[in-house]
Amino acid sequence: MQKYVCDLCGYVYDPAAGDDSGGIQPGTPFGDLPADWVCPLCGAGKDQFSPQ
């Protein structure tokens, strides 16, 4: 699955790992993240992420 990187802080969303702090289960593709999901490090919205 495609990883995405935050353009503001460099956090990498890895679908294989999910996002524990955001309640996102491992195996969740970036496109399936809720619209209100934000970067766990800087709070940037999904629109601030680019494919890695």
Side-chain angles (χ1 to χ4, degrees):
M1 280 189 271
Q2 178 75 50
K3 294 180 182 179
Y4 282 75
V5 62
C6 179
D7 297 330
L8 301 180
C9 75
Y11 168 81
V12 176
Y13 175 75
D14 181 356
D19 173 21
D20 269 348
S21 64
I24 306 300
Q25 296 294 318
T28 304
F30 187 82
D32 291 348
L33 293 173
D36 62 349
W37 181 83
V38 295
C39 176
L41 297 184
C42 73
K46 287 176 61 178
D47 61 336
Q48 297 295 314
F49 279 73
S50 301
Q52 187 180 39

